[in-house]
Amino acid sequence: MIKLIEKIEGEAKLNFNFKEGKIDFVDIEFMSTRNIENILKGKNAFDALVINPRVCGICGHAHLIATVQALESCYENLELSNKAKSIRELTLNFELIQNHFKWFYLTLFPLFGKKQEILKATYPSQLMAKAIAVFGGQYPHTSYAIVGGVVCEITHMDIIKLQHYISQTSKFVEDNLVKTDSKTFLTCKDADALLDYEGDLPDILREIKKMNLLGHGKSYDRFISFGQNSYFKKGKSLKTKVSHNISLEHVKESDIASSFAKNVSFKDEYYEVGPLARAMINKNQLIADAHKKYGDSIFSRILARVCEISKLLEHSKKLIDNLDLNEPSYIEPSMDISKLNSIGYSAVEAARGTLIHKVEIEEGIIKNYEIITPTQWNLSGGTKEKQGVSQKAMVGLDDVKTAELVFKSFDVCSVCTTH
Amino acid sequence: MKKTKVLWLSAIACNGNTHSFLNYPFMEQFLEDFEFIYHPVIDSKYSLEDIVSKEITCDILLIEGAISKEFKRADVSVVKIIEKYSKIVQKIVTVGTCATFGGIFRESGYENTSGLHFDQDKQLKEFQYLRDKTISVSGCPVHPEVLVNTLYAIKKSITLKLDNFLRPKEFYAYTVHNGCTRNEYFEYKVDNHRFGELEGCMFYDHGCQAPFTHGSCNKILWNEVNSKTRAGLSCMGCTEPTFPKRNLFSTKKNMAIPENLPVGVGKRVYLTLAGITKAFKIDRLEKKLIDD
Amino acid sequence: MLKKKENKKELIMQAALELFASKGFYTTTIPDIAASLKMSVGNMYNYFKSKDILAKEIIKYISSYLGNKLREINEQEISTKEKTRKIVEIYFKTASLKPEMIDYFLRIYLSNREVFKDSCEGMICVNEFVTEIMIYFEEGVKCGDLREQDFFSAFGLFMGYLGGMVFLKGENILPKDLNDYIDDIAFNIYKALSAE
């Protein structure tokens, strides 16, 4: 049976094959593409900073950061201040947080028979958007990160404003998501203990338990994460064994006949990316405990995504405290882009996982541009013999409704996938 | 009061307008006054499949994204969906620059991709009969207040004065330059802007299009706090039919004279004024704004 | 009434220009100018409060005169090449018919900047003329005839060249009449600025 999965920043068609009453194989099809990579060809390299955020309305900022880092890696000896690095990291954190709130209250809630909590989604995500706008001028679709730094200068008053946005968001988490003080939640190491708390997250987790879905949605237990910054670590995790020595050259993108999306693999294997992957590689104790008890199931995946909100808020506070306002925001590159012939890569952690950009420049003009989005990793459509991560996670389920829940636990972004 | 029924239809889009809309500060009130029969993110009574297969009662059709008959939603061409709903709705709103002029995704490779009534600044014959029904709120993305207040104007049957591109003059008669905190550097031709500073104007070297771009970005701030030009990023001209131009971070100049001048200002007037102001050195504008 | 005053002012400036050219700027006094026009010195001050003010008004007058001539050229639907020739022509024609004007510009305005520092900063007093040169350049580049470059590198080439020729003529060094050089000079300038 074919089901059109809607409201995933677009749609995807899932073709379910049942065998003896259980899902045997799911074919995933994305029905369109927007050819961003072609649009970029022949354009001035810096124009990618304006075009690429428009890959996606919900995680466009990750595309900006990936673009600027890919362009910067084309230069030799490019100088970047710590302040600029931290500011970029902050705005990306804010975007991740914004995404997770929207996913939790808009996408996940209806899957548990609850009404969407639109205001609970928009209130904190608006605060995070404001925090981005303090630096970038607006959200969505700013291009404030440019080769050499960021365009903005930050004052003490801006910092105070930001701190208010962050503490207001933390307060929202404490009043709604997990009704306890942030410190208790952040230091909690027992996934089951969370079931005893009040709040929207514990409600959902209890619901999972009540519906006997605790172990559902397991896949390969194989995780990867390439984006590296002051919080996220680069690495892969195979059944809790973490190694940090991985290289982008083993990432391969390949066409599939049945869909406009492209497959992505690492050393010819499919890996899960996203908050669960990041938490496993970062060895987050709460998530490690959930993983120990429930594996790479929807329980762990949902918990990891929501938990990341608090972790990133906490880390952002530290980044702000450590900002040295005397550093320059921008250091002009010593070489003009029009003289540059080079190839550059970047990998950043977007809300849904590792986002990779690759650019080839000839005399400042884009010759080639490739984008690999997180959803491509998770939704790679393999054959029945070699299934993709989300495909595997749906195998063995009894019904399409649960399968949709498992599918959406990856926080699917159709527009990104069909860039 | 009855809720106004709105269909939010995405064509070739990035959903940027959808998420910009979610930044509207008075969402609770909005949802009491309006109901989406379909929205890309917000739950609706009907599924996309219902929308394309049936004819659901609706008051306003919102279109996001560039339009091509080749592009389908739930296996139906967006042009077909527009044709069906445009007949029954009271008003059509093209949301964002793609739906209005083609925008970024005009180049997405689908056959004849454009806005609803315009292919960049060229007026299209298709859908001409709908022109009287349409209001354009361009921008990449649209400003949430511009969109929402236009919807309220429709709900209240207010006749909005529109410009040649069907944009409400209340928002688009201004230039983005109006209200920019860097205005003085423009007025007095202090042309040594560097990125990463509070001071300076991006018009001279860094491609700022604010003086000839229509929009209220510096009048109705983004996310209620800032604007791109205030932050120090050039206006990319995202509300205009020409968006995206090329080489966006650098100012097109002819013999060092900017090719695009403030809208409505003649070259002779501009150069005369520039020549005069440039002759003076204004110390306050030459030094740091917040100095020791 | 006002027009009459303007005409009289113009007469005074013309007389002053001629005296500056023959006697020199510093040695010419307001009484000298008044005398040459058979005016009383007191009446003279009704028109110009000081010699410095007169000096500034004169440069504006010249700039306006040349600016208007250039504007006529700029507004014609002709190629940049033709415009170039016409500008050279009008400049040399002015230098021949009103040598005192160009002389004032080159010898007094450009070499006595201290006189012009208050309210004549930068190029304010020659704004009308410079604006038209800018428009000539800007339109030339825009239509693809001229090469994009810094304004001053192009301005210096054009005006320095013309000024130099007029200077040589003033020093009686030029063997031929200025007008005989128009074709070659227009060719040289266009070639130097051209996009090809």
Side-chain angles (χ1 to χ4, degrees):
Chain A
M1 98 169 260
I2 295 175
K3 183 168 167 59
L4 186 71
I5 305 290
E6 298 185 13
K7 310 209 179 193
I8 46 168
E9 306 297 319
E11 296 88 36
K13 254 185 220 169
L14 298 192
N15 188 353
F16 293 98
N17 295 287
F18 282 86
K19 201 167 153 187
E20 290 159 12
K22 292 200 185 296
I23 293 171
D24 183 41
F25 181 64
V26 186
D27 211 20
I28 304 169
E29 185 197 346
F30 286 92
M31 287 85 72
S32 63
T33 168
R34 292 165 301 140
N35 294 310
I36 281 267
E37 287 150 340
N38 272 333
I39 292 175
L40 289 163
K41 267 183 213 164
K43 297 235 155 77
N44 296 75
F46 288 168
D47 287 359
L49 297 167
V50 179
I51 292 169
N52 288 347
R54 273 91 179 173
V55 167
C56 177
I58 191 167
C59 64
H61 202 68
H63 285 280
L64 171 68
I65 304 299
T67 306
V68 78
Q69 289 187 6
L71 289 174
E72 282 170 349
S73 80
C74 290
Y75 290 76
E76 276 171 48
N77 311 320
L78 187 103
E79 261 189 286
L80 203 58
S81 70
N82 285 324
K83 181 170 114 183
K85 277 186 213 161
S86 297
I87 289 175
R88 288 179 185 178
E89 203 176 314
L90 279 166
T91 54
L92 187 53
N93 284 352
F94 300 150
E95 185 181 72
L96 263 62
I97 296 166
Q98 172 256 171
N99 266 271
H100 296 341
F101 276 119
K102 283 180 179 168
W103 170 81
F104 185 72
Y105 285 116
L106 299 177
T107 305
L108 200 66
F109 259 46
L111 294 168
F112 287 91
K114 293 169 182 281
K115 247 186 91 185
Q116 263 187 341
E117 291 274 9
I118 297 170
L119 300 177
K120 284 188 178 179
T122 55
Y123 174 75
S125 54
Q126 285 181 10
L127 285 171
M128 290 293 96
K130 283 178 201 293
I132 297 173
V134 166
F135 297 107
Q138 71 177 63
Y139 185 82
H141 290 354
T142 176
S143 304
Y144 91 110
I146 56 172
V147 170
V150 291
V151 301
C152 57
E153 177 59 310
I154 285 302
T155 64
H156 292 290
M157 291 302 138
D158 293 324
I159 298 293
I160 290 171
K161 228 192 292 194
L162 277 172
Q163 285 166 335
H164 290 164
Y165 295 138
I166 291 175
S167 52
Q168 204 61 29
T169 310
S170 294
K171 189 168 162 13
F172 177 88
V173 172
E174 292 173 356
D175 291 347
N176 297 278
L177 216 44
V178 184
K179 290 186 182 172
T180 178
D181 61 290
S182 295
K183 210 170 166 193
T184 312
F185 179 39
L186 284 165
T187 50
C188 175
K189 290 171 192 164
D190 179 359
D192 286 337
L194 274 180
L195 293 164
D196 299 329
Y197 282 105
E198 292 295 308
D200 296 329
L201 174 66
D203 281 350
I204 291 284
L205 297 178
R206 275 192 291 272
E207 203 67 23
I208 293 173
K209 192 176 173 185
K210 210 173 88 193
M211 292 160 74
N212 285 321
L213 296 175
L214 278 172
H216 283 54
K218 285 185 193 170
S219 189
Y220 290 109
D221 207 351
R222 224 164 30 210
F223 302 100
I224 205 158
S225 180
F226 279 96
Q228 222 174 345
N229 60 24
S230 72
Y231 181 65
F232 294 127
K233 294 190 178 85
K234 181 172 103 172
K236 62 177 184 171
S237 164
L238 300 168
K239 305 196 189 308
T240 72
K241 198 176 149 274
V242 175
S243 64
H244 298 286
N245 188 20
I246 53 170
S247 162
L248 275 178
E249 57 188 273
H250 296 119
V251 176
K252 212 170 73 197
E253 201 184 21
S254 54
D255 285 312
I256 14 176
S258 62
S259 172
F260 276 106
K262 285 178 179 171
N263 278 351
V264 180
S265 58
F266 178 80
K267 290 190 174 170
D268 290 325
E269 303 269 26
Y270 295 127
Y271 280 77
E272 175 168 351
V273 298
L276 179 56
R278 294 193 280 257
M280 291 304 291
I281 292 152
N282 263 30
K283 297 196 166 159
N284 174 313
Q285 288 177 306
L286 175 65
I287 306 305
D289 183 60
H291 180 266
K292 200 165 106 196
K293 288 166 178 157
Y294 309 111
D296 56 337
S297 66
I298 52 166
F299 182 93
S300 305
R301 209 170 282 126
I302 291 169
L303 179 62
R305 200 175 298 277
V306 178
C307 186
E308 202 172 78
I309 293 175
S310 294
K311 290 279 180 198
L312 289 177
L313 283 170
E314 191 60 21
H315 186 70
S316 297
K317 282 182 201 161
K318 277 185 211 144
L319 278 173
I320 291 172
D321 289 342
N322 293 332
L323 273 182
D324 179 358
L325 295 190
N326 292 319
E327 286 183 26
S329 294
Y330 171 76
I331 302 168
E332 197 174 339
S334 53
M335 193 191 206
D336 194 274
I337 184 94
S338 65
K339 298 193 176 74
L340 213 58
N341 295 294
S342 184
I343 292 176
Y345 299 85
S346 67
V348 305
E349 284 307 305
R352 296 162 182 78
T354 296
L355 169 67
I356 297 169
H357 280 215
K358 180 184 169 189
V359 62
E360 196 180 336
I361 303 175
E362 228 174 62
E363 289 175 349
I365 302 293
I366 297 167
K367 206 178 158 215
N368 206 21
Y369 209 106
E370 286 168 41
I371 298 172
I372 295 175
T373 66
T375 302
Q376 277 178 267
W377 287 92
N378 289 336
L379 264 61
S380 281
T383 56
K384 203 176 154 187
E385 291 68 40
K386 196 176 173 185
Q387 307 200 26
V389 172
S390 64
Q391 284 179 315
K392 172 119 166 75
M394 289 183 279
V395 167
L397 299 174
D398 300 330
D399 61 292
V400 167
K401 211 173 149 247
T402 312
E404 186 179 349
L405 166 62
V406 169
F407 184 70
K408 286 187 172 175
S409 73
F410 289 95
D411 191 4
V412 177
C413 181
S414 170
V415 281
C416 270
T417 311
T418 60
H419 59 271
Chain B
M1 208 178 175
K2 215 175 103 244
K3 284 194 183 188
T4 305
K5 291 185 162 55
V6 180
L7 166 57
W8 186 304
L9 177 69
S10 302
I12 312 169
C14 70
N15 284 13
N17 297 296
T18 298
H19 288 281
S20 186
F21 161 72
L22 292 178
N23 286 331
Y24 180 65
F26 312 110
M27 194 57 90
E28 192 171 7
Q29 184 62 47
F30 178 84
L31 294 170
E32 277 173 28
D33 297 329
F34 292 85
E35 176 198 339
F36 287 109
I37 63 163
Y38 191 80
H39 184 276
V41 175
I42 294 173
D43 265 351
S44 46
K45 213 183 278 174
Y46 305 96
S47 69
L48 188 62
E49 283 175 319
D50 293 334
I51 296 294
V52 302
S53 62
K54 298 170 196 159
E55 192 179 287
I56 314 286
T57 314
C58 177
D59 303 307
I60 302 173
L61 168 63
L62 299 187
I63 306 168
E64 169 176 17
I67 297 160
S68 161
K69 66 170 192 267
E70 249 191 306
F71 191 82
K72 291 175 180 172
R73 293 295 303 282
D75 292 329
V76 179
S77 161
V78 288
V79 167
K80 284 261 153 46
I81 308 173
I82 292 168
E83 277 168 358
K84 179 166 73 178
Y85 282 94
S86 60
K87 285 194 195 101
I88 62 167
V89 295
Q90 180 199 334
K91 281 280 177 191
I92 301 162
V93 182
T94 59
V95 182
T97 296
C98 287
T100 305
F101 302 116
I104 295 246
F105 294 119
R106 188 175 166 273
E107 298 171 55
S108 62
Y110 290 90
E111 195 187 324
N112 292 332
T113 308
S114 66
L116 182 68
H117 294 298
F118 304 96
D119 180 22
Q120 295 192 318
D121 62 354
K122 201 175 87 224
Q123 208 170 307
L124 296 170
K125 288 213 171 64
E126 289 101 343
F127 292 121
Q128 208 167 19
Y129 64 100
L130 295 175
R131 266 188 72 110
D132 292 343
K133 267 193 182 185
T134 306
I135 297 175
S136 314
V137 284
S138 60
C140 190
V142 70
H143 190 294
E145 190 175 318
V146 170
L147 169 62
V148 169
N149 289 359
T150 300
L151 294 179
Y152 272 103
I154 295 171
K155 188 181 173 73
K156 292 170 193 283
S157 303
I158 295 167
T159 310
L160 292 172
K161 286 195 176 130
L162 306 179
D163 69 10
N164 292 339
F165 297 118
L166 311 174
R167 301 178 295 193
K169 286 190 178 174
E170 287 208 38
F171 299 117
Y172 296 91
Y174 298 88
T175 67
V176 172
H177 178 67
N178 289 155
C180 177
T181 50
R182 296 166 185 271
N183 269 358
E184 284 181 306
Y185 299 94
F186 179 80
E187 284 159 15
Y188 298 107
K189 305 292 144 204
V190 182
D191 58 5
N192 55 351
H193 172 262
R194 290 182 64 245
F195 284 117
E197 294 180 355
L198 296 173
E199 303 82 7
C201 168
M202 291 78 75
F203 173 77
Y204 306 104
D205 290 318
H206 296 127
C208 186
Q209 299 182 37
F212 49 92
T213 297
H214 297 83
S216 295
C217 297
N218 275 303
K219 179 172 176 278
I220 311 171
L221 293 181
W222 280 87
N223 312 87
E224 301 180 293
V225 296
N226 211 355
S227 75
K228 288 210 290 290
T229 61
R230 286 184 179 197
L233 177 61
S234 314
C235 163
M236 301 297 175
C238 77
T239 57
E240 297 294 343
T242 44
F243 180 75
K245 289 184 179 175
R246 277 162 181 264
N247 211 358
L248 290 157
F249 283 89
S250 104
T251 302
K252 170 92 180 97
K253 281 185 274 197
N254 300 317
M255 220 65 108
I257 297 153
E259 178 164 305
N260 294 292
L261 298 177
V263 68
V265 177
K267 203 182 293 174
R268 213 159 255 120
V269 177
Y270 176 83
L271 291 174
T272 303
L273 279 175
I276 294 169
T277 49
K278 209 155 169 35
F280 297 98
K281 230 172 112 84
I282 295 159
D283 282 342
R284 182 169 65 84
L285 300 178
E286 298 286 340
K287 57 180 199 178
K288 289 298 229 184
L289 206 51
I290 303 170
D291 59 358
D292 298 321
Chain C
M1 197 52 199
L2 212 67
K3 184 141 187 14
K4 213 172 153 196
K5 193 171 178 185
E6 282 308 305
N7 285 342
K8 186 78 185 174
K9 273 177 112 170
E10 228 177 286
L11 273 178
I12 296 169
M13 288 193 282
Q14 195 54 48
L17 269 174
E18 282 159 25
L19 283 175
F20 290 157
S22 57
K23 280 185 70 170
F25 178 71
Y26 279 104
T27 46
T28 303
T29 61
I30 289 275
D32 291 341
I33 301 165
S36 82
L37 285 161
K38 301 194 169 60
M39 280 172 76
S40 71
V41 175
N43 192 18
M44 180 76 188
Y45 282 110
N46 285 330
Y47 294 93
F48 297 101
K49 295 264 174 282
S50 71
K51 194 173 122 184
D52 276 7
I53 290 175
L54 173 63
K56 284 170 200 161
E57 288 297 317
I58 289 175
I59 193 64
K60 285 187 200 164
Y61 169 68
I62 294 170
S63 161
S64 170
Y65 176 86
L66 282 172
N68 280 327
K69 298 276 178 204
L70 255 55
R71 182 170 176 163
E72 282 169 23
I73 296 169
N74 274 336
E75 286 175 348
Q76 290 174 33
E77 299 270 327
I78 51 174
S79 69
T80 313
K81 198 172 179 176
E82 284 172 276
K83 280 185 192 169
T84 312
R85 193 186 184 283
K86 281 183 188 275
I87 294 172
V88 174
E89 195 179 356
I90 196 71
Y91 194 90
F92 284 173
K93 207 167 145 192
T94 310
S96 307
L97 295 175
K98 296 178 178 281
E100 66 286 353
M101 262 196 190
I102 306 290
D103 195 70
Y104 184 84
F105 181 75
L106 294 175
R107 289 174 197 263
I108 298 171
Y109 174 67
L110 290 182
S111 34
N112 298 289
R113 299 295 295 156
E114 71 282 2
V115 177
F116 297 93
K117 65 178 188 291
D118 271 343
S119 74
C120 239
E121 288 91 346
M123 302 214 276
I124 291 182
C125 291
V126 288
N127 207 309
E128 281 178 76
F129 171 72
V130 176
T131 296
E132 294 304 327
I133 290 287
M134 282 179 162
I135 289 175
Y136 154 79
F137 282 149
E138 202 265 350
E139 287 174 350
V141 175
K142 201 171 172 180
C143 74
D145 286 345
L146 303 185
R147 182 170 52 86
E148 166 64 9
Q149 58 178 303
D150 180 77
F151 169 75
F152 284 101
S153 59
F155 184 73
L157 178 120
F158 204 130
M159 288 301 128
Y161 195 174
L162 296 190
M165 291 303 287
V166 173
F167 178 81
L168 292 177
K169 149 106 175 141
E171 298 292 309
N172 290 317
I173 293 170
L174 284 189
K176 287 191 274 183
D177 189 72
L178 259 183
N179 289 326
D180 294 340
Y181 294 94
I182 292 175
D183 283 338
D184 276 343
I185 288 175
F187 176 85
N188 291 345
I189 291 179
Y190 186 73
K191 193 159 186 192
L193 297 177
S194 137
E196 285 147 37

